[in-house]
Amino acid sequence: MLESNKIFTKVFLWMFIGLAITFGVGYYVSNNEIMFLNVFGKCYYFLIIAELVVVIVLSARIRRMSSMTAKIMFCLYSFLTGLTFSSIFLLYNLMSIIYVFGITALIFLIFALIGYFTKIDLTKIGVYLFMIILAILICEIINIFVKSATFDFALVVICLIVFIIYIAYDIQVIKRNLFAIDSEDNLAIYGALQLYLDFINIFIRLIRLFGRSRD
């Protein structure tokens, strides 16, 4: 069993690095018209596929990777996400983005503490959370054709709640070392990836609910 406090220091460090890369790249690209047009032109679908491939490979093979490879792939995923994230900086007011980021960070902190200190075993609900996420994805695909604003709002709220719960769940799983990864660095990267995804998904839903569009 790896020491949880030492692991969490590395987990949060890498999570911060990932978020810094994503938001930094997103902001930079949004202010570079040529790069932005390239990202959302011919490259867009390639980037989406590349994101999926990187996160799937990183999640599935991290136990066999060297720590350096895991770190590079995590940074690469954060970079690719930042490219597609640049649209947020064009759609929403910068102060609104900062405001929502602060709210997301506060929510993350609260539920991370709940996950760390609660005596309730949250690890048993992982399969149910995953099933809800799959159901939401199916509903979002259906709503592309239905185009119901009310349905879309309900999906955003439900998804927001699920990923907030996921924070506490992932923290508890990391604390108990249930990822079954022997390498301390690789466990830290994998834990950082899970929490990074929770943070990004919560931010996206909150910005859709409370973000102010640019004038």
Side-chain angles (χ1 to χ4, degrees):
M1 179 69 70
L2 299 174
E3 186 181 345
S4 64
N5 289 338
K6 188 177 180 181
I7 287 296
F8 274 115
T9 300
K10 292 187 175 182
V11 166
F12 290 127
L13 173 61
W14 279 104
M15 177 189 163
F16 174 79
I17 290 172
L19 290 173
I21 291 173
T22 296
F23 281 85
V25 170
Y27 179 75
Y28 177 79
V29 172
S30 69
N31 286 281
N32 188 312
E33 184 177 353
I34 296 176
M35 286 189 67
F36 183 83
L37 291 175
N38 285 330
V39 168
F40 288 90
K42 296 179 180 179
C43 297
Y44 181 72
Y45 291 106
F46 169 78
L47 288 173
I48 296 298
I49 294 171
E51 275 188 85
L52 290 173
V53 170
V54 171
V55 75
I56 290 172
V57 171
L58 180 57
S59 300
R61 299 188 61 84
I62 193 166
R63 293 170 180 81
R64 301 178 183 178
M65 289 180 182
S66 68
S67 60
M68 181 57 67
T69 301
K71 292 171 183 176
I72 290 173
M73 291 199 70
F74 176 70
C75 290
L76 175 60
Y77 180 72
S78 302
F79 176 82
L80 292 172
T81 303
L83 292 177
T84 56
F85 222 66
S86 58
S87 61
I88 289 178
F89 288 91
L90 285 180
L91 291 173
Y92 298 99
N93 179 276
L94 181 58
M95 289 307 299
S96 181
I97 293 173
I98 294 172
Y99 174 73
V100 172
F101 184 92
I103 294 176
T104 306
L106 179 60
I107 291 173
F108 183 91
L109 175 62
I110 292 171
F111 281 86
L113 290 173
I114 289 174
Y116 190 87
F117 290 107
T118 185
K119 301 299 181 181
I120 301 172
D121 186 3
L122 300 174
T123 61
K124 297 178 180 179
I125 66 173
V127 63
Y128 301 108
L129 294 175
F130 183 71
M131 289 172 64
I132 294 172
I133 292 297
L134 284 180
I136 291 172
L137 288 174
I138 294 171
C139 290
E140 286 180 337
I141 293 173
I142 293 173
N143 200 42
I144 291 175
F145 304 99
V146 176
K147 297 180 180 179
S148 169
T150 303
F151 190 37
D152 181 65
F153 177 81
L155 289 175
V156 169
V157 173
I158 294 171
C159 200
L160 176 61
I161 294 171
V162 170
F163 278 107
I164 287 174
I165 297 172
Y166 250 123
I167 296 171
Y169 166 82
D170 285 330
I171 288 289
Q172 197 169 93
V173 171
I174 296 169
K175 183 180 179 181
R176 299 185 180 187
N177 193 21
L178 296 182
F179 290 131
I181 300 175
D182 295 329
S183 168
E184 184 178 290
D185 286 340
N186 285 24
L187 176 60
I189 290 296
Y190 192 71
L193 175 64
Q194 303 308 308
L195 296 176
Y196 166 94
L197 291 172
D198 296 338
F199 192 101
I200 289 295
N201 276 284
I202 291 169
F203 175 85
I204 290 173
R205 271 67 191 187
L206 285 176
I207 199 74
R208 289 182 63 184
L209 291 174
F210 303 112
R212 294 183 179 179
S213 60
R214 294 181 66 172
D215 297 331

